[in-house]
Amino acid sequence: MLKGKTALVTGSTSGIGLGIAKALAQQGANIVLNGFGDAKGPQSEIESLGVASAYHGADMSKPAEIEDMMKFAASKFGRVDVLVNNAGIQHVAKVEDFPVEKWDAVIAINLTSAFHTTRLAIPAMREANWGRVINIASAHGLVASAQKSAYVAAKHGIVGLTKAVALETATTGLTCNAICPGWVLTPLVQKQIDDRAAREGISVAQAQIDLLGEKQPSLQFTTVDQLGGLAVFLCSAAADQVRGVAWQVDGGWTAQ
Ligand code: NAD
């Protein structure tokens, strides 16, 4: 379905981003990976699916590096057809104790980076009259939790950005949508489970059960494969008129 097209996925050296990159590669898209840590492993996983890949290590909190990454992607593959804004971090603290530099980092990486990639990707998508912008928001883009003020603000913000971009591009072949996962067992969430186990003096297994029980009625984690499947659907012709949605994949979290 995506043969000959190029997908750039931010924060795709692990977790959800890597899962979505693989799902898009399985549909034939060439992939531009981004994120910290080892990129060789993820790149060879992508290339084993029979597509080309490239990696750019831009720090999503730095606009100049984001610009450089977008130029790099265009120089490698011509243009970005599918942009997945996925890079994200978390910090947990009460608002009055929230470190100012952590607030700035969460907003920069989880929200402002998507503004930069989107503004830079859209002109070529308009020219081709086809494109997909997929923003990885969260259940926290729709509802809040205590101690996550920066994350909740950034995720609500990216849902708003999604709607505004969808309206600006509504008459074109370019769509913009958000995916709102509930708990997914990635390094980002494993850290919260480990912190909870240490804080409450319980086992990691118990902390995992408690974490799910608090928010996610299905009591099961959302998987990266499920999110990859939804991203593929959003790239399909069946989704041509899906515009500006914030699509929950949260085991019932936000239905409560
Ligand atoms: P993860 O920690 O496994 O992956 C995050 C990725 O972002 C990594 O590749 C990391 O290197 C990259 N990254 C972090 N800071 C970066 C920076 N400054 N510049 C470039 N890359 C950077 O996390 P994940 O759980 O896969 O999260 C991915 C996205 O999904 C995030 O936006 C997160 O908020 C969202 N999300 C996750 C969950 C969950 O339960 N795991 C739920 C809802 C939404």
Side-chain angles (χ1 to χ4, degrees):
M1 189 176 79
L2 296 174
K3 206 165 171 23
K5 292 198 159 45
T6 300
L8 184 153
V9 186
T10 69
S12 46
T13 47
S14 96
I16 294 169
L18 180 56
I20 290 178
K22 282 198 234 167
L24 299 176
Q26 272 158 0
Q27 297 299 318
N30 296 323
I31 303 291
V32 182
L33 292 165
N34 157 262
F36 296 150
D38 171 40
K40 287 208 179 71
Q43 250 193 298
S44 60
E45 279 186 67
I46 295 288
E47 284 170 13
S48 72
L49 298 168
V51 298
S53 81
Y55 166 74
H56 193 288
D59 180 337
M60 288 298 112
S61 68
K62 305 218 162 84
E65 293 187 23
I66 296 173
E67 288 208 26
D68 194 59
M69 177 184 74
M70 299 306 288
K71 280 190 197 136
F72 166 82
S75 75
K76 280 271 174 200
F77 295 115
R79 72 164 170 269
V80 172
D81 303 286
V82 178
L83 168 66
V84 182
N85 289 309
N86 166 80
I89 58 166
Q90 176 63 281
H91 187 80
V92 179
K94 280 195 261 177
V95 70
E96 65 268 36
D97 301 332
F98 217 91
V100 170
E101 67 281 5
K102 288 285 183 198
W103 171 279
D104 288 343
V106 171
I107 300 295
I109 296 163
N110 296 22
L111 175 59
T112 309
S113 71
F115 158 67
H116 289 299
T117 53
T118 302
R119 75 181 171 80
L120 295 165
I122 275 188
M125 291 180 179
R126 279 193 193 276
E127 207 176 300
N129 199 33
W130 196 90
R132 294 291 190 257
V133 179
I134 301 173
N135 293 324
I136 307 308
S138 167
H140 284 117
L142 303 168
V143 295
S145 293
Q147 309 226 16
K148 293 187 174 174
S149 55
Y151 189 83
V152 168
K155 294 301 187 182
H156 275 66
I158 206 165
V159 168
L161 174 68
T162 302
K163 292 177 187 173
V165 172
L167 290 178
E168 289 179 20
T169 55
T171 58
T172 75
L174 189 181
T175 70
C176 179
N177 292 290
I179 294 177
C180 296
W183 293 122
V184 187
L185 194 53
T186 65
L188 181 140
V189 165
Q190 188 61 52
K191 182 178 178 306
Q192 293 175 62
I193 293 169
D194 295 344
D195 289 351
R196 186 181 188 128
R199 194 175 58 243
E200 296 180 8
I202 55 177
S203 68
V204 169
Q206 188 58 47
Q208 188 167 307
I209 292 164
D210 292 353
L211 180 105
L212 283 170
E214 217 170 64
K215 300 282 186 187
Q216 199 143 312
S218 66
L219 301 179
Q220 292 172 59
F221 287 103
T222 299
T223 68
V224 295
D225 289 347
Q226 290 159 358
L227 299 173
L230 178 53
V232 168
F233 166 71
L234 290 173
C235 289
S236 73
D240 277 353
Q241 292 310 323
V242 179
R243 292 171 188 267
V245 306
W247 194 317
Q248 298 103 311
V249 195
D250 66 3
W253 180 327
T254 53
Q256 297 170 96

